[in-house]
Amino acid sequence: MDRGIFENIGSQLRARGHATIDDLSRIAFWKFGSWRHYNAITSQANRRKVEWLTARVFGLDKSEAVTHASMLAWEDSGLDGFGIPMASALLSVFDPENYAVIDRHAWRTYAVLSLGKPFPKSSFTPADYGRFLTFCRKRREDLSGWTTRDVEKV
């Protein structure tokens, strides 16, 4: 499933420069393994703003990852059904070279490797995503041919 999401949807996102409601619902299913977020993701509010908001976010410099996650999930203009994990999934599908997907499993590994002990967490702030992404990007620099997403999956 990863391959189809990243090759098919990811290439379409990059070609269009924005996401559609269909893209969001497919990425949510891939991320969460169910359609439980379908109604929130496909809300009328999201239908009105998904294209312009994702075009705006995708156009920002990759160094502004905390801003990206915040705009998608935390601002008043954020998308319904989006938290930091879903925002990170969308960004990662759009640009796996520079983004990673955060969730409790990835966070636990990050905490052990960076802090030396597990630090369980199930909700995330944009700042958490920034720290996690910085960690993944630094590790990528040492691994020739790896993407930030590859580092996160390990």
Side-chain angles (χ1 to χ4, degrees), residues 59-124:
L60 294 172
D61 185 87
K62 70 178 187 291
S63 66
E64 299 180 40
V66 171
T67 301
H68 299 163
S70 179
M71 287 172 67
L72 290 168
W74 284 60
E75 283 188 350
D76 290 338
S77 63
L79 297 168
D80 293 341
F82 264 64
I84 298 303
M86 182 60 193
S88 72
L90 173 60
L91 291 167
S92 186
V93 171
F94 171 68
D95 184 1
E97 183 69 31
N98 293 297
Y99 297 95
V101 181
I102 193 170
D103 61 23
R104 61 191 172 96
H105 306 291
W107 182 267
R108 184 175 47 241
T109 301
Y110 157 75
V112 168
L113 294 175
S114 66
L115 305 173
K117 62 181 179 176
F119 184 72
K121 194 170 181 72
S122 60
S123 70
F124 305 95

Side-chain angles (χ1 to χ4, degrees), residues 48-69:
R48 285 190 299 275
K49 61 187 162 189
V50 65
E51 291 183 15
W52 70 263
L53 182 58
T54 57
R56 183 175 164 207
V57 169
F58 292 169
L60 294 172
D61 185 87
K62 70 178 187 291
S63 66
E64 299 180 40
V66 171
T67 301
H68 299 163

